[in-house]
Amino acid sequence: MALFGAISGFSPANGDASSNTSFSAADMRGVVNQYCLACHNDTLATADLSLQSLDFANPAQHAETLEKVVKKLRAHMMPPSNMPRPPFETYGLMTNWLETELDLAWATNPNPGRVTPLHRMNRYEYNNTVNDLLGLDIDVMDLLPGDPTADGSFDNIAASLPFSTAHMERYMSVGRQLTRLATGLPPNPSVSTYEIPLYLNQDWRQNDDMPFGSRGGVAVSHHFPADGEYQINVNLQTNYQDYVKGLGWEQQLDVRLDGRLLRRFTIGGDAPGIPAPLSFTGTGEPGSIDWEQYMITEEASGLQIRVPIKAGPRQVTVSYVRQQVELEEIPQPAQGGRLNANSEVYLDYQKVHSLEIGGPYTTTPSTVAIDSPSRRLIFSCTPNQQSEELACATQILSRMARQAYRRPVTEDDTTLLLGFFNRGREQGASFEAGIQFALEFMLSDPDFLIRSYDSNAVNTPELTIALSDLELASRLSYFLWSASPDQTLLEIAEKGQLSNPAIFEQQVRRLLADSRGVKTLVEDFAAQWLNLRRLDEVQINTVLFPEYDMSLIEGFGRETELFVAETLKTDASVMELLDANYSFLNERLARHYGVEGIYGSRFRKAKFPDTSQRGGIMAHGALLSVTSYPGRTSPVLRGKWLLDNLLGTPPPPPPPNVPVLPDAEVGEIPTSIRERLTRHREDPVCSTCHTVIDPLGFALENFDVIGAWRDFDEGGNPVDPNGNYPGGVEFSGFADLRDWMTERPDQFAHTLVEKLMTYALGRRVEFYDQPTIRSIVRKAAAEDYSWSSLILGIAESSAFTSSSAPAQLAENTIIGVSTAGN
């Protein structure tokens, strides 16, 4: 049955058409003739758009074109700044009338859009799904091919996810590794290496996983595949001459397993002789070869231990006992790109370069019957004799297949899986080997890797069909958890109850309240929406910004993740993302932001003393650094980011061969970025877009490349943060811009719903989705735009719960899926 009716509680803009009785189709035609036809006529058709023959009395026939017009008018981006423009109030009349007419037309003939019939898991979804299925906690994303993003948005867009032989090979390889690990089969010895970034500061406690009173090092969650003996090696950082850093004085390094001390190494402090040029006297006196050999190899070569470890996930920690050091020489800036002198290296803190965990090198006789969380999850029964194996295998594989395939298991499914079990049983000579081989096949089965939507119930493109309860369960769980439906959701769907509106709402709220809901929306949705994944690509000129290091960049990412998670956990208004007076800081980040009274490496919620300089995501270092160049800020990148991600009015791509802004010549006084962009806008080709982009970016010019507040730019010029927006809106700096945006909550909420809906549907938002989005935003306004009101509105929408069926789905292929309307 249809879930919530074809329109899903849809209501047109401003209630109904009567709210715009003072404006009509004739008025719209008059305004267009006066201000738009100079460019958008049948002859010129600027930007491939002509409004000359458009019938405003029948907007349904021109919905795609008119939705583009609405977006431009809402943003006051048209007419161009050098052309006559209608009065400010007229923009509101035009957009309100257009939206009302378009919404009424959509309500008469609703179009929820097509569901792509085949939707492959991306890496993040695969990682979550296999870990839930097998009871593991292992990151396998780096073992799989990367996923493309559609138009730079999200990497879960079905039509953009290929399924090639390379993907299949990697799925089979990863599936074999994971299933052997989960079922406890004897593993081959292997070595895992965990490297610490070179520019990560190790002068203090790194994070909450490290012991109190420690500094530096690394904490890793490592899955030990079997009970046995493992070797842990610690490698220390060296300088460009391969001298181990910090050997001039004694320092203590701890190796811990699940918080228990395994070994404490004492390193340094007993070098023969003193630092001096290499001499070949061999006497052991100052200047001898012994000091050089000690610095390069001897002292740090024995940092390894062999220890018996039980199977399962364990935390291995390597850290130094914290000791305070005051350098005696002239203080040097903490400049990431500078080569340290030998004396500085010799008397500096030691630093961990990498941690290696190898094994198991010896295993216990009971290795095949390892007791681990994953084994307990998989083996719901254990046969005592061979005659019981088939029944037990049927029970295990049927239960696992139901969860993996996200539907009831058929007799054909069971027969196929038992065939693989029998082959594995014969080859591996054990019941566990048979189960492992069947699970290995299951993880490479298209029924597991691909979410499919039934197309057999439709014959014509005009029909709208509701998704089945099982399809809806998968779509909902992958929206909010990026993983398969859990037992509760699957049981409800199998009973046909999920299409009940009250039960569906209860399940949406349950999944959202679960920790997996917050984790997914932060790690996957927000990380892509806010470009947090690009933090790893940030390059900073450390000569101009010597205070930069990897600890700062990692802190930026952690701040934004914790901040967004807090708004989700408290079901706050999404407007809090823009104007919150708090964030999450540790000592390093608080010092960078100029916030006093925060000490230690732990991130905690802290209020800003001056909200004119901080508050909301626009002032987060993560977003400011990914929209900058290594040596200077970029109002263009920042303005474009605001238009794309917060205002929902992305500018068109730049024309080809646009020259870069020229830098100052040697001996020349550098001009400000505002002056250079003013010259750039003199080109008519560039002016139309940059008139909108640049002023928004100028408002953030008080933030430097790494997000610190400043009054002078990189060239020593006073910062001018004044900007404006088309239509006569003016603002002076960050605080004014933030206030202007928060006074228009519907615009930001509309943009966020567009982003969330794209992510939820796994397809691009199209013109026919705009009436649905407007309806969601209007309803959410009554709940102060809370997260739950937006997410529930998307989940209950006809775009999420139903599909406009194409005439022929059979033409689509798994490899390179491309479905019209997606």
Side-chain angles (χ1 to χ4, degrees), residues 224 226-232 257 260 262 307-312 314 316 357:
F224 293 88
D227 297 353
E229 188 176 69
Y230 293 83
Q231 180 162 306
I232 300 175
L257 179 69
R260 177 173 59 91
L262 297 179
V307 59
I309 299 176
K310 290 286 187 181
R314 302 279 184 267
V316 180
I357 302 175

Side-chain angles (χ1 to χ4, degrees), residues 436-453:
Q436 181 275 324
F437 195 58
L439 292 177
E440 181 181 334
F441 164 77
M442 190 184 297
L443 294 191
S444 59
D445 191 335
D447 278 351
F448 169 71
L449 296 170
I450 296 173
R451 307 199 305 275
S452 61
Y453 296 89

Side-chain angles (χ1 to χ4, degrees), residues 19 108 142 171-172 183 205 227 229 254 258 267 288 325-326 377 399 430 452 476 586 599 612 723 804:
S19 61
T108 302
D142 289 342
Y171 284 133
M172 294 172 67
T183 54
R205 182 170 176 248
D227 297 353
E229 188 176 69
D254 291 348
D258 290 335
I267 310 165
S288 72
V325 175
E326 185 66 37
L377 176 66
R399 178 178 53 82
S430 72
S452 61
L476 180 61
N586 65 358
Y599 304 99
S612 67
S804 293

Side-chain angles (χ1 to χ4, degrees), residues 445-654:
D445 191 335
D447 278 351
F448 169 71
L449 296 170
I450 296 173
R451 307 199 305 275
S452 61
Y453 296 89
D454 186 15
S455 62
N456 298 324
V458 269
N459 298 314
T460 62
E462 290 75 27
L463 291 178
T464 296
I465 59 169
L467 301 186
S468 71
D469 286 67
L470 288 168
E471 291 170 341
L472 193 57
S474 287
R475 195 170 215 193
L476 180 61
S477 66
Y478 277 95
F479 170 28
L480 295 179
W481 286 357
S482 286
S484 291
D486 63 358
Q487 185 74 10
T488 301
L489 187 59
L490 202 53
E491 286 180 357
I492 292 173
E494 287 174 341
K495 294 175 182 177
Q497 297 175 347
L498 193 58
S499 52
N500 181 304
I503 294 176
F504 183 76
E505 178 180 346
Q506 184 269 332
Q507 288 303 305
V508 173
R509 294 187 183 278
R510 181 180 70 86
L511 267 63
L512 184 57
D514 190 281
S515 60
R516 286 172 287 184
V518 174
K519 180 174 181 287
T520 296
L521 290 173
V522 170
E523 287 185 353
D524 200 35
F525 167 71
Q528 296 184 79
W529 168 44
L530 300 175
N531 291 357
L532 297 183
R533 291 185 178 181
R534 288 194 53 220
L535 276 173
D536 292 338
E537 306 169 12
V538 169
Q539 300 291 325
I540 303 296
N541 185 327
T542 55
V543 174
L544 295 175
F545 302 95
E547 60 273 29
Y548 160 80
D549 58 52
M550 284 298 298
S551 300
L552 187 63
I553 293 295
E554 288 192 355
F556 286 162
R558 188 65 178 149
E559 174 198 17
T560 304
E561 289 173 352
L562 290 171
F563 175 69
V564 175
E566 176 72 3
T567 64
L568 282 162
K569 290 175 184 175
T570 59
D571 194 21
S573 167
V574 296
M575 300 310 297
E576 199 166 291
L577 294 171
L578 297 182
D579 64 359
N581 64 350
Y582 68 89
S583 192
F584 286 80
L585 312 175
N586 65 358
E587 180 179 355
R588 176 75 175 89
L589 201 53
R591 187 169 66 248
H592 184 70
Y593 286 168
V595 179
E596 298 179 351
I598 296 178
Y599 304 99
S601 60
R602 182 179 65 86
F603 280 82
R604 80 289 316 254
K605 189 175 181 179
K607 286 189 175 182
F608 291 116
D610 184 1
T611 56
S612 67
Q613 296 186 2
R614 296 287 167 188
I617 55 176
M618 286 192 293
H620 280 207
L623 311 181
L624 294 164
S625 58
V626 299
T627 54
S628 296
Y629 291 116
R632 68 166 177 86
T633 58
S634 173
V636 176
L637 293 180
R638 289 177 175 178
K640 182 181 182 300
W641 186 90
L642 291 172
L643 289 168
D644 281 344
N645 297 294
L646 302 188
L647 296 173
T649 53

